[in-house]
């Protein structure tokens, strides 16, 4: 009986950990989305400036 309770506890803990990590990654991506888009725009502008003279 103790093994069954331990197994259930482990499964619940793993499920909770999965959702917490999933939530944290989603929030990190959402928070950095503006910085990523700024970096991409800057990279595109630099690319066009380099290739403009050709």
């Amino acid at each position: 009986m103790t093994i069954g309770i331990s197994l259930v506890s482990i499964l619940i803990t793993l499920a909770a950990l999965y959702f917490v990590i999933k939530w944290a990654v989603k929030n990190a991506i959402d928070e950095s989305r503006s910085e990523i888009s700024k970096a991409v725009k800057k990279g595109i502008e630099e690319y066009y400036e380099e290739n403009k003279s050709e």
Side-chain angles (χ1 to χ4, degrees):
M1 189 76 170
T2 307
I3 294 173
I5 294 172
S6 296
L7 183 59
V8 171
S9 298
I10 290 171
L11 290 176
I12 290 172
T13 303
L14 287 175
L17 187 61
Y18 167 78
F19 286 109
V20 167
I21 292 172
K22 182 179 173 181
W23 171 78
V25 170
K26 182 181 179 293
N27 283 346
I29 291 172
D30 288 342
E31 288 178 6
S32 63
R33 184 169 286 151
S34 65
E35 293 177 25
I36 292 170
S37 64
K38 287 178 188 175
V40 169
K41 287 178 185 178
K42 183 178 178 183
I44 291 171
E45 289 171 357
E46 289 175 359
Y47 174 79
Y48 281 134
E49 288 296 321
E50 289 175 2
N51 293 323
K52 188 177 181 180
S53 61
E54 292 179 3

